[in-house]
């Protein structure tokens, strides 16, 4: 077989749109998308500083949000609550209440749009008055005591109807504890998408504004989120989460960590997701060229992602004709 010019001309396969589509190695579909949605206790949509048009929705708007997702072909909504400040405390007591905002939001979507999957975060940052994902003792997030609260949080969310739980807290051993508790309650099909490789990144700013944790976050999350210097550790973390029963693993943030995504997919060969996080979305919007969204999503697919969480999910699905 010759690979020599001029017998071989690579530009032939780029001649027209139909040929390009025919030979395309990767593609993005609405089926690949998870749409993160912020929920507020109030009656009105509220704007989020620095988040380029992403808003918090009141509960009453969730049926229409879910309907838009279904009509656009987006299979999953990931819900995040902005809990009233007065309800946050050092034990994250709201997190484990079956009538809290996130549980009501989950039930609302499942009630009105049962075919749209709902994903819910398992972590305490939306519920603590210090903004950390776990319980603090002497300024340190304590692992095993936090897991006990996370397990109870996971159960109330699953019982409210969450289809997928996303432990994003980064405590050691939480996936196994959550899986065990779900199974003990007969919730054998509640899926776990583990935030396995979640880095201590500067890209979470608009998200922390959205859930109201940035104003009171004390210090940083470096004692539990991964060090951006490491990649072997990320593969190890994903493997450990799989051993504990994770159904899917996630890498977060997205575009700056495509090497991690690629390695995890290559080495572990399991359903692998990327979180195109709030700071990345803000950068993309600040740049302002609409074509960049689909190009970014394609980059995730090329690196090996089975799906992507992105604030641009609806926009992308619509651009794709969904
Ligand atoms: C909470 C959580 C965070 C994100 C998702 N779940 C923030 C954090 O870890 O501080 C970030 C998502 C984004 O920036 O879009 N544990």
């Amino acid at each position: 077989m010759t690979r020599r010019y001029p017998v071989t001309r690579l530009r032939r396969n780029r001649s027209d749109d139909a040929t390009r589509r025919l030979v395309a190695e990767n593609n993005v579909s609405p089926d690949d998308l998870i749409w993160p949605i912020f929920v507020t206790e109030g009656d009105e949509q509220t704007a989020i500083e620095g988040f380029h048009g992403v808003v918090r929705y009141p509960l009453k708007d969730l049926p229409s949000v879910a309907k838009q997702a279904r009509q656009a072909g987006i299979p999953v909504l990931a819900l995040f609550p902005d809990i009233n400040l007065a309800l946050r405390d050092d034990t994250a007591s709201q997190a484990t209440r079956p009538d809290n905002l996130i549980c009501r939001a989950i039930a609302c979507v499942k009630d009105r749009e049962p075919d749209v999957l709902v994903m819910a975060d398992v972590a305490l940052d939306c519920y603590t008055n210090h903004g950390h994902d776990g319980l603090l003792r002497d300024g340190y997030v304590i692992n095993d005591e936090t897991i006990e609260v996370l397990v109870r949080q996971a159960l109330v969310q699953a019982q409210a109807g969450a289809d997928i739980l996303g432990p994003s807290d980064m405590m050691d051993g939480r996936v196994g504890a959550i899986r065990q508790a779900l199974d003990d309650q007969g919730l054998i099909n509640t899926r776990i998408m583990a935030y396995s490789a979640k880095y201590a990144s500067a890209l979470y700013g608009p998200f922390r504004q959205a859930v109201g944790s940035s104003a009171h976050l004390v210090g940083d999350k470096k004692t539990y989120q991964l060090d951006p210097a490491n990649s072997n550790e990320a593969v190890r973390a994903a493997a450990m989460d799989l051993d504990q029963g994770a159904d899917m693993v996630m890498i977060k943030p997205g575009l700056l960590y495509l090497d991690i995504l690629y390695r995890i997919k290559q080495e572990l060969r399991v359903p692998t997701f990327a979180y195109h996080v709030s700071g990345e979305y803000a950068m993309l919007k600040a740049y302002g060229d609409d074509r960049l969204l689909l190009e970014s999503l394609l980059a995730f697919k090329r690196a090996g992602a089975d799906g992507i969480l992105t604030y641009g999910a609806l926009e992308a699905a619509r651009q794709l004709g969904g």
Side-chain angles (χ1 to χ4, degrees), residues 36 38 51 80 121-126 131 133 168-169 195 198-199 203-208 211 213 217 221 224-225 252 275-279 311:
F38 297 104
F51 218 152
F80 296 96
D121 244 39
V122 182
L124 306 183
D125 53 326
C126 299
D133 293 29
S168 73
D169 54 284
Y195 285 67
K198 176 174 180 180
Y199 285 86
L203 284 166
Y204 307 145
F207 176 96
R208 291 180 189 170
V211 299
S213 66
L217 179 64
K221 301 191 178 183
Y224 47 105
Q225 299 182 346
K252 172 184 173 195
Y275 201 142
H276 182 222
V277 300
S278 58
Y311 300 95

